[in-house]
Amino acid sequence: EVIINALRDMPEEINIKAAGTAMRFMTAFLAATEHGEHVLTGTERMKHRPIMILVDALRKLGATISYEGEDGFPPLRIKGQPLDGGQLDIAGNVSSQYISALLMIGPVLKKGLELHLTGEIISRPYIDLTLWMMREFGADAEWTAIDTITVKPQPYKSRNYPIENDWSAASYWYEMMALTN
């Protein structure tokens, strides 16, 4: 919800509340696209969640991001601009959301992205899911080595993408019914 509202309204200050995924994905998106300058903030708890790994990686790609408070933590001031991209090293044992955020902007980077994951890669299934979804929208993104992902500079393609309803909540009712027999 906070991502949809941010993308629709693009206010100068974007409050993502307590949504850590939104903080990570919006940081990369705002840094790599020409949508002006924004302050990305959240709840008091969000302001104590680390984001330095992602900010440092984006800065290496040419992003203009500054901390509005304590270094390493939101809120962030982000000036959106086209980024060159290129080769980037990041630890493989960090949150997959940092890695996914970087991968998802790969297609819009002028040189694409060659992401080398160092050390143990702990979130390969989540990374694979990100790559699969990216390809669903026309990205050319794949593992090119055991520890390297290459994303070619190629814009995403808009398309209809139906998403099935989540039936997991109904399982509780079915379980209760089954237990009454």
Side-chain angles (χ1 to χ4, degrees), residues 50-165:
I51 191 106
M52 185 176 281
I53 291 170
L54 180 59
V55 170
D56 287 352
L58 289 165
R59 284 176 171 170
K60 287 177 186 170
L61 295 174
T64 304
I65 304 173
S66 60
Y67 296 105
E68 291 286 286
E70 184 180 352
D71 278 1
F73 302 91
L76 305 172
R77 179 169 297 278
I78 305 169
K79 182 177 188 278
Q81 62 198 23
L83 302 177
D84 283 336
Q87 200 276 331
L88 181 65
D89 292 340
I90 190 168
N93 65 354
V94 300
S95 167
S96 64
Q97 291 178 1
Y98 292 140
I99 296 167
S100 291
L102 293 166
L103 290 173
M104 288 190 294
I105 64 168
V108 301
L109 302 176
K110 292 177 189 172
K111 298 177 186 172
L113 180 64
E114 183 180 297
L115 190 61
H116 177 248
L117 304 175
T118 61
E120 182 183 7
I121 302 169
I122 62 169
S123 302
R124 193 176 291 266
Y126 291 110
I127 296 167
D128 288 340
L129 180 60
T130 299
L131 293 171
W132 183 79
M133 284 301 303
M134 289 171 62
R135 287 190 295 267
E136 286 289 300
F137 289 89
D140 185 349
E142 63 183 329
W143 290 95
T144 51
I146 193 81
D147 58 0
T148 304
I149 303 164
T150 301
V151 182
K152 299 210 170 128
Q154 175 176 308
Y156 287 109
K157 295 175 184 157
S158 178
R159 63 174 279 215
N160 286 330
Y161 194 83
I163 298 173
E164 182 179 321
N165 288 333

Side-chain angles (χ1 to χ4, degrees), residues 3-43:
I3 290 176
I4 290 169
N5 291 341
L7 293 173
R8 182 190 62 226
D9 303 335
M10 293 303 282
E12 182 179 335
E13 181 173 293
I14 299 172
N15 186 341
I16 54 84
K17 301 177 185 176
T21 304
M23 175 61 74
R24 292 163 179 154
F25 292 176
M26 288 300 297
T27 297
F29 173 79
L30 292 171
T33 57
E34 293 186 274
H35 287 287
E37 190 168 315
H38 300 274
V39 173
L40 190 56
T41 190
T43 62

